[in-house]
Amino acid sequence: MNSRDGQSQRPLAKVGASSTASATSSPFTDDLRGYVNKVMDEWKVPGLAIAVVDADQVYTEGFGYAELLDTKVTPETLFFAGSTTKTITAAALAHMIDSKKYSSLKDGWSTPISSIIRDDFVVGNEWTTAHLTLDDAVSHRTGMAPHDFAWMRTEGGMTLTPAEMVKKLRALKLSAEPRTIYQYCHHMYVALGHVIETLSGQWLGDHLRKTVFEPLNMTATYCDTQHAMDAPEHLASGYYWDAKRQEYGLVAFDSIREGNGAGFVISNVVDYAKWLKCLLYETEPFSKQSHKDIRKPRMLAYQEEKTGPGEVLHGLGWQQKVVHGVLVYMYGATEAAYATQVYWLPEHKYGLVAMANVATPGNAAEETIAWKMIEDKLGVPENERFDISGHMKAAADRQAERIGSAADILYPIRPDRPLPSPLNNSQLVGTYIDEGYGVLRIDEEGSTEAGQATLIARRSDMLFNYQLRFRHVSGSFWVVEIWYDDTHSQVGFWGGEFRVGVDGNASGLMVHLSPEGAEIDESFVWFERVT
């Protein structure tokens, strides 16, 4: 795909009277277009859209394909925006707190979550349940581990409501004391979405439309996949790159409604530019106090070297860091086959959003392009610029090496000649249950006669459809490989140990969720065998 032409570059309407007019010009020069095309080819990104807010102007352009070799990306093309939803959910909650309309929010961000959704929100122990606040949840400092692979969409064939999803938290383990470390957790933003729905009496999507999207004239932003598919704008198809076949694979559209406050927005760069202008110029529908809340750092998140040494802080969904001497707010999100990156620099009244229709490679390409554009804006000398692409490639290589070394990482001390499993594969087939992680139906797939059968548990009940593939190491111990169904890619691994009861049958499966070297200790899960 070497013939991507920029589509529909245009300046949009100026901001209102509160803005300061400034002479700017489109960043989409021929040189930049060539650079974008090069990065897209390098990272195998089929389609990408970019919007830039520069003072009182907005410039937009589309690159590549929304439908391969058929429909090109334009600025109006819709993409799944994933976890950037969290920044909007948090802003909506700030708006509710500042409105003074809700007596349950009289303590503002210090309001205990359980005081609003008492029957549903139980986390850890009695103290934690009673004391975790809205501020703790929005700042990812509750002590709850990510538990991404416990995020259920359905149970018993029925779609879970946000309230039912929140109730699942009581069965998940904390991995730290509250307010001690930063741990990114989707589940807590589902809980915040549930809080908003409980107080407003509305589905969260309707509340966001009324309080955020309509006031900002974000007419192409949706919180339901079917709504986006029926919209006048074109919804980009999602893809993944099959390195073995050297071709793109198509990913089917997925329902996003269950993502709730953690990730259920579909939009385009034109609408997100309106959101950025609101943030940059501190305009309505949010008050000055709400904008102050949005910008306030609340938790030390982590240190990183990709954009120079320094601490990344976290606030209302946004990460913030001083880069090249300038404060940058940023957020990156990944869906099954989509990626979004958002940046804004208040001091320079500059913002940028990029959306792509491929997942992790899309984020790498977007970050590479975005930082070049930001550094162009700041006039950073070439010898002081960051090698974002190099950093991302090195990280991808480390992850691939780690996955390839799973057995050594999990079981560094093991016999040279693996011990046989106490039970054969057919004896391990069955149904295993954990209250938090749900039902594992372990089946044997492949040719048993050829000795190539594999134990597999398919998790189509999860928000992220995945499967677990069991690879025997020695004795009762296994590597449990985690594969995403949509992209046919391995994304991680666990340690697994099948336990044998006194009756000689499998009694359960102990899964160690955090191999040596993992950033967060998610402890273990015991799946009890029931059939």
Side-chain angles (χ1 to χ4, degrees):
M1 297 178 65
N2 297 314
S3 59
R4 295 187 180 89
D5 297 322
Q7 302 295 313
S8 302
Q9 182 271 317
R10 69 191 68 178
L12 300 181
K14 292 185 178 182
V15 297
S18 61
S19 67
T20 302
S22 174
T24 66
S25 59
S26 172
F28 296 108
T29 62
D30 288 343
D31 284 347
L32 181 64
R33 292 188 185 100
Y35 181 81
V36 171
N37 291 334
K38 175 179 175 293
V39 172
M40 290 175 68
D41 284 333
E42 183 179 359
W43 284 100
K44 304 304 180 188
V45 178
L48 178 76
I50 302 173
V52 173
V53 179
D54 195 352
D56 60 350
Q57 296 288 338
V58 177
Y59 301 95
T60 63
E61 190 147 346
F63 300 84
Y65 292 90
E67 304 278 348
L68 276 176
L69 305 180
D70 182 20
T71 305
K72 291 190 174 183
V73 171
T74 73
E76 288 76 21
T77 300
L78 297 174
F79 296 86
F80 290 75
S83 285
T84 62
T85 300
K86 293 181 177 69
T87 66
I88 302 172
T89 299
L93 190 52
H95 185 276
M96 295 182 82
I97 290 172
D98 188 59
S99 73
K100 311 298 183 186
K101 295 179 180 178
Y102 303 92
S103 59
S104 298
L105 297 175
K106 60 181 176 61
D107 292 326
W109 290 104
S110 297
T111 302
I113 299 170
S114 60
S115 70
I116 302 173
I117 50 175
R118 189 180 309 275
D119 294 338
D120 303 328
F121 190 80
V122 177
V123 176
N125 53 42
E126 185 176 345
W127 187 94
T128 306
T129 298
H131 290 85
L132 284 181
T133 65
L134 299 174
D135 209 353
D136 295 326
V138 83
S139 305
H140 295 300
R141 64 186 193 203
T142 61
M144 178 63 71
H147 292 298
D148 291 344
F149 296 103
W151 195 357
M152 293 186 201
R153 181 196 301 276
T154 63
E155 187 172 45
M158 301 296 292
T159 300
L160 295 176
T161 65
E164 291 168 334
M165 289 183 181
V166 171
K167 286 181 179 178
K168 291 290 181 184
L169 289 173
R170 66 194 65 197
L172 299 177
K173 294 182 176 67
L174 297 178
S175 56
E177 290 296 319
R179 301 170 191 158
T180 57
I181 62 172
Y182 172 89
Q183 296 182 116
Y184 190 90
C185 184
H186 294 295
H187 302 278
M188 287 300 163
Y189 270 77
V190 175
L192 293 175
H194 182 27
V195 165
I196 293 174
E197 290 184 339
T198 299
L199 294 174
S200 68
Q202 294 178 300
W203 172 52
L204 180 61
D206 289 336
H207 182 78
L208 295 183
R209 180 159 305 285
K210 178 181 177 182
T211 60
V212 181
F213 304 149
E214 288 182 357
L216 292 177
N217 196 31
M218 294 172 66
T219 58
T221 299
Y222 308 92
C223 297
D224 183 281
T225 303
Q226 191 60 52
H227 295 171
M229 292 173 67
D230 295 338
E233 303 85 11
H234 184 82
L235 176 58
S237 291
Y239 297 92
Y240 67 95
W241 177 250
D242 188 324
K244 289 184 179 180
R245 297 184 178 182
Q246 289 293 293
E247 64 183 18
Y248 288 105
L250 179 66
V251 177
F253 289 141
D254 198 7
S255 171
I256 58 165
R257 198 177 180 105
E258 297 78 25
N260 196 262
F264 73 162
V265 165
I266 296 174
S267 189
N268 60 27
V269 297
V270 173
D271 267 16
Y272 261 50
K274 298 171 184 176
W275 170 224
L276 282 174
K277 288 165 68 176
C278 170
L279 295 169
L280 288 168
Y281 287 92
E282 300 183 273
T283 62
E284 295 181 345
F286 303 104
S287 67
K288 293 296 183 183
Q289 179 58 48
S290 293
H291 279 289
K292 183 178 179 181
D293 279 345
I294 290 169
R295 296 187 179 198
K296 177 183 176 181
R298 296 164 184 268
M299 187 65 184
L300 174 62
Y302 52 87
Q303 292 188 334
E304 63 110 36
E305 300 289 333
K306 181 171 55 180
T307 53
E311 294 77 20
V312 176
L313 306 178
H314 190 276
L316 295 196
W318 294 103
Q319 295 174 338
Q320 51 185 282
K321 182 183 178 183
V322 175
V323 184
H324 293 308
V326 176
L327 179 61
V328 181
Y329 290 81
M330 50 197 166
Y331 201 96
T334 304
E335 276 280 343
Y338 300 86
T340 299
Q341 291 281 334
V342 189
Y343 303 83
W344 48 291
L345 290 64
E347 180 183 346
H348 290 263
K349 293 294 185 283
Y350 182 88
L352 184 152
V353 56
M355 295 180 169
N357 55 348
V358 68
T360 304
N363 266 327
E366 289 169 345
E367 283 199 59
T368 300
I369 294 164
W371 279 107
K372 173 187 168 44
M373 297 179 73
I374 291 170
E375 289 175 325
D376 285 348
K377 173 65 180 177
L378 298 178
V380 178
E382 288 294 331
N383 64 342
E384 297 179 15
R385 297 193 175 202
F386 306 122
D387 181 11
I388 302 296
S389 189
H391 179 95
M392 301 297 282
K393 287 177 183 177
D397 289 344
R398 287 193 299 271
Q399 174 67 357
E401 181 179 358
R402 182 173 171 79
I403 286 176
S405 305
D408 293 332
I409 293 171
L410 290 166
Y411 311 110
I413 302 175
R414 60 185 192 275
D416 294 334
R417 297 183 64 181
L419 301 176
S421 171
L423 300 173
N424 61 41
N425 280 8
S426 62
Q427 292 173 306
L428 298 174
V429 168
T431 301
Y432 300 72
I433 294 179
D434 172 75
E435 186 180 355
Y437 275 71
V439 178
L440 279 187
R441 173 62 194 177
I442 300 179
D443 293 306
E444 195 173 19
E445 298 186 11
S447 173
T448 55
E449 294 181 0
Q452 296 178 345
T454 301
L455 293 177
I456 293 181
R458 299 185 181 277
R459 302 307 308 269
S460 58
D461 55 331
M462 293 295 180
L463 201 76
F464 308 119
N465 289 346
Y466 66 90
Q467 59 181 261
L468 303 178
R469 301 181 186 178
F470 294 78
R471 177 161 57 88
H472 184 247
V473 177
S474 182
S476 299
F477 298 92
W478 301 66
V479 171
V480 184
E481 300 176 348
I482 310 166
W483 289 73
Y484 277 155
D485 287 348
D486 293 328
T487 57
H488 307 284
S489 58
Q490 186 179 353
V491 294
F493 59 88
W494 296 326
E497 179 187 358
F498 285 100
R499 301 276 176 88
V500 180
V502 295
D503 59 358
N505 296 317
S507 61
L509 170 67
M510 181 68 75
V511 175
H512 297 270
L513 301 175
S514 300
E516 186 71 25
E519 293 182 3
I520 294 174
D521 182 7
E522 294 185 284
S523 190
F524 60 87
V525 174
W526 169 250
F527 289 93
E528 183 176 358
R529 187 177 183 180
V530 294
T531 62

